[in-house]
Amino acid sequence: MELIKLSGILIVIIGFALKKDNILIILTAAIVTALVGGLGIVGLLETLGTSFVANRSMTIFILIMLVTGTLERNGLKEAAAKLIGKVKGASAGAVVGAYGIMRGIFAAFNVSFGGVAGFVRPIIMPMAVGAIEAKGDEPNEEHVEQLKGMASGMENVAWFFCQVLFVGGAGGLLVQSTLASLGYKVELLDLARVEIPVGIFAIVISIIYYYLKDKKLSKKYYNKK
Amino acid sequence: MSFFTSVDITLGEKLLEIIYIVIGLITIYTGVKNARDKENPARVGTAVFWCSLGIVIAFGRWIPPIANGVLIIIMTIPAIFRKVKIGKQETPDPEFTKKMSEKLGMKIFIPALSIGVFAIIFAIFTKLGALVGVGVGIVASVIILMLFSKENKPQVFLKDSERLLSTVGPLSMLPMLLASLGAVFTMAGVGDVIAGLVGGIIPKGNVNVGIIVFAIGMMLFTMIMGNAFAAITVMTVGIGGPFVLAYGADPVMIGMLALTCGYCGTLCTPMAANFNVVPVAMLDMKDRFGVIKNQVVLALILLVFQISYMIIFK
């Protein structure tokens, strides 16, 4: 009857897959696991309390918010738009690639410009479409649709794989605490360091992939010799 | 007070505790501000959530574990009943932002990057740790912003952090709650049960097979759950620990890369709606899977790269 201890895991998997309230899922899984695992309610509350206090480092993002909003107020996004605007005479695919480099470098410092809603839609997409027009072509609808997908993809890849380079980011902190509960003590700096090759590879491979894909689509839709 | 005067506790720990008190106070401020905000549709729930969280963050060290546990449960109740809401918010005045952007230009990147720079400097050159570096970087950033403009007063920073914290809301506590769930799993012996089950499938002692199963498992679990943070706690306890780390593989490399293997799953699943579905709507795309289709190839290449990297450098 050891298997019953896994009911908490089952609750998490099914709960997230069915898009139930995330906090409710976690709480239910914790209560069920504590009861079937013999911790009891007191054990549950003590484990919860101890672990929460031990993991307070994960709330560092609240301290960072102390400046994030004010940076935005003082023109951070506008400066980023000016910076990417320096890319001139590039193809649409190269615009997406240039954004990837910028997004990746700033992600490593935990600096964001507003994601798809705040930056890709108002700044990157007009630049990419402008790049097609600059070559004297009428932007093809299907090509623009693909560029939207590529720009969002670049946004996601750069953010996911470069934000782990920030020492003190949520990912590293969660890994640190998960390993600590298994008895392995690791440093945040080392966790960030092992991701450097992954971050660089992710940016480079995405740029190559999207550049080539855009080139192929341009040939197909505008048929330039 | 004895904590701060004790010689047995390192300066880094003391400074970190001060940082937690500041974070806790910002959180409590968020609760109090919303409690008094007539425009907030759920004043009580919002206040209960942020205040109980703030108390645990700021003073948790001095509160008995069981009382902290009770406070956490109290905190989750308004969140589950969706009674944590956003009140009146002062969004940045576009005129001011335009004026500042013209005045500062690229100089705004100095306070923006200072946090990360200080974190790295402190992690490498001091014994105080990266998080104290983050704290110092924020102080530096605040000072620079105040020098930039007289209008960046202390209450502006406080109000802006309240605005952002209220916007992200209770879901920002997900990583912490998942970490606590992981602790409950470990205490209840969940890892041993999975290890027993999977032991029949994975040959014991073959670290490379363990790494491949762990990496692919992270990707698949993340695709099902839509959240790599949820997957990593379960998978590390069940697979990573007993089948990879127990045989001497480097916990730094395996533990961390498992998370980014999970991110490969995030790139491939509509379950991660924020990243893959919301952009489709925001960019008026026709194909609901238009973002995912542009990510699948990259995700698979990155997974293979990371598995090879782990096997070579474990």
Side-chain angles (χ1 to χ4, degrees):
Chain A
M1 277 318 281
E2 282 283 280
L3 280 182
I4 197 159
K5 283 189 184 170
L6 301 184
S7 34
I9 292 184
L10 211 60
I11 292 172
V12 173
I13 298 171
I14 296 173
F16 272 90
L18 294 180
K19 301 197 182 217
K20 298 285 172 207
D21 184 275
N22 289 351
I23 295 178
L24 179 64
I25 298 166
I26 296 170
L27 201 63
T28 315
I31 294 171
V32 171
T33 306
L35 292 179
V36 299
L39 288 179
I41 289 297
V42 174
L44 169 71
L45 290 173
E46 278 177 349
T47 311
L48 213 55
T50 310
S51 144
F52 223 78
V53 171
N55 289 321
R56 283 176 299 163
S57 53
M58 287 179 196
T59 60
I60 199 86
F61 76 93
I62 297 177
L63 194 67
I64 296 174
M65 283 177 173
L66 207 49
V67 289
T68 321
T70 311
L71 284 170
E72 186 190 321
R73 195 182 281 278
N74 284 269
L76 179 66
K77 202 167 92 181
E78 287 72 9
K82 244 181 255 170
L83 188 64
I84 189 88
K86 294 209 164 119
V87 177
K88 297 243 160 68
S91 68
V95 167
V96 171
Y99 177 57
I101 295 175
M102 182 173 100
R103 174 79 168 144
I105 292 173
F106 281 93
F109 291 89
N110 200 36
V111 176
S112 176
F113 308 115
V116 171
F119 208 79
V120 171
R121 184 188 155 114
I123 290 151
I124 300 302
M125 278 319 294
M127 271 183 75
V129 173
I132 304 171
E133 288 165 340
K135 297 216 163 47
D137 294 314
E138 176 67 25
N140 174 287
E141 203 181 334
E142 183 51 33
H143 184 203
V144 174
E145 166 93 2
Q146 287 300 326
L147 280 171
K148 287 173 179 173
M150 289 188 237
S152 303
M154 196 72 239
E155 159 82 26
N156 287 339
V157 171
W159 183 243
F160 292 178
F161 294 93
C162 291
Q163 205 217 3
V164 285
L165 304 179
F166 175 66
V167 187
L173 286 163
L174 181 59
V175 169
Q176 189 187 40
S177 87
T178 309
L179 289 173
S181 73
L182 294 174
Y184 300 99
K185 193 176 180 300
V186 297
E187 295 295 330
L188 292 177
L189 183 66
D190 297 328
L191 292 178
R193 197 184 289 149
V194 293
E195 290 285 8
I196 293 174
V198 180
I200 293 174
F201 180 78
I203 296 290
V204 171
I205 195 75
S206 313
I207 291 175
I208 296 172
Y209 175 61
Y210 290 141
Y211 182 81
L212 293 178
K213 185 165 179 178
D214 171 62
K215 209 170 163 188
K216 203 175 123 202
L217 290 171
S218 298
K219 257 198 194 130
K220 180 176 163 194
Y221 292 120
Y222 312 116
N223 203 20
K224 287 240 170 107
K225 292 279 151 61
Chain B
M1 253 348 258
S2 60
F3 173 83
F4 291 106
T5 50
S6 164
V7 285
D8 297 328
I9 294 158
T10 63
L11 180 63
E13 284 178 67
K14 287 176 193 169
L15 290 173
L16 202 53
E17 203 58 45
I18 293 174
I19 289 177
Y20 293 146
I21 293 175
V22 174
I23 297 173
L25 292 178
I26 296 172
T27 314
I28 293 171
Y29 167 78
T30 302
V32 173
K33 186 242 157 202
N34 280 292
R36 300 169 52 178
D37 184 349
K38 290 198 179 68
E39 287 185 31
N40 189 317
R43 288 157 70 179
V44 179
T46 310
V48 167
F49 180 84
W50 294 115
C51 289
S52 46
L53 174 63
I55 293 168
V56 176
I57 297 173
F59 311 111
R61 169 177 287 276
W62 296 278
I63 300 172
I66 189 158
N68 278 322
V70 172
L71 279 167
I72 305 297
I73 300 285
I74 293 175
M75 173 190 94
T76 60
I77 293 168
I80 290 169
F81 287 98
R82 307 197 180 274
K83 289 288 173 211
V84 183
K85 299 260 160 104
I86 302 171
K88 182 171 182 269
Q89 297 203 318
E90 281 175 45
T91 46
D93 170 19
E95 281 298 307
F96 178 74
T97 304
K98 190 160 174 280
K99 195 186 87 193
M100 286 311 291
S101 135
E102 274 159 16
K103 181 181 152 193
L104 296 175
M106 301 294 167
K107 270 194 283 182
I108 191 70
F109 290 132
I110 300 169
L113 297 178
S114 74
I115 303 165
V117 171
F118 275 93
I120 295 172
I121 291 175
F122 271 63
I124 297 176
F125 298 109
T126 73
K127 289 204 167 94
L128 300 173
L131 294 180
V132 173
V134 171
V136 173
I138 285 163
V139 173
S141 181
V142 167
I143 293 172
I144 297 169
L145 282 166
M146 285 167 90
L147 291 175
F148 279 164
S149 164
K150 277 194 199 113
E151 287 183 59
N152 292 330
K153 298 184 207 106
Q155 59 265 42
V156 172
F157 292 95
L158 194 59
K159 274 186 190 160
D160 277 343
S161 57
E162 183 277 326
R163 170 168 65 90
L164 292 181
L165 194 54
S166 292
T167 310
V168 293
L171 277 188
S172 63
M173 282 300 114
L174 214 53
M176 270 188 99
L177 289 165
L178 286 165
S180 299
L181 181 62
V184 173
F185 282 164
T186 311
M187 288 290 281
V190 169
D192 304 333
V193 180
I194 301 188
L197 279 180
V198 185
I201 307 162
I202 309 179
K204 258 216 155 60
N206 191 333
V207 182
N208 292 343
V209 175
I211 287 174
I212 295 169
V213 172
F214 189 29
I216 296 175
M218 268 304 295
M219 179 167 176
L220 294 179
F221 260 56
T222 305
M223 286 177 70
I224 297 168
M225 295 193 221
N227 189 319
F229 281 6
I232 189 107
T233 35
V234 178
M235 288 296 287
T236 307
V237 173
I239 310 271
F243 292 97
V244 186
L245 299 181
Y247 297 104
D250 178 13
V252 170
M253 164 151 303
I254 305 298
M256 192 66 208
L257 286 184
L259 182 70
T260 33
C261 287
Y263 289 173
C264 294
T266 315
L267 292 174
C268 300
T269 177
M271 292 294 301
N274 276 350
F275 300 108
N276 298 333
V277 181
V278 175
V280 169
M282 253 182 250
L283 296 172
D284 302 317
M285 292 171 70
K286 288 179 300 253
D287 183 357
R288 214 165 72 82
F289 289 95
V291 173
I292 293 175
K293 281 179 188 163
N294 272 295
Q295 294 177 157
V296 172
V297 174
L298 289 174
L300 293 174
I301 297 174
L302 279 162
L303 183 72
V304 172
F305 175 83
Q306 293 186 87
I307 291 175
S308 320
Y309 178 37
M310 281 193 275
I311 288 178
I312 297 169
F313 292 98
K314 64 182 182 267

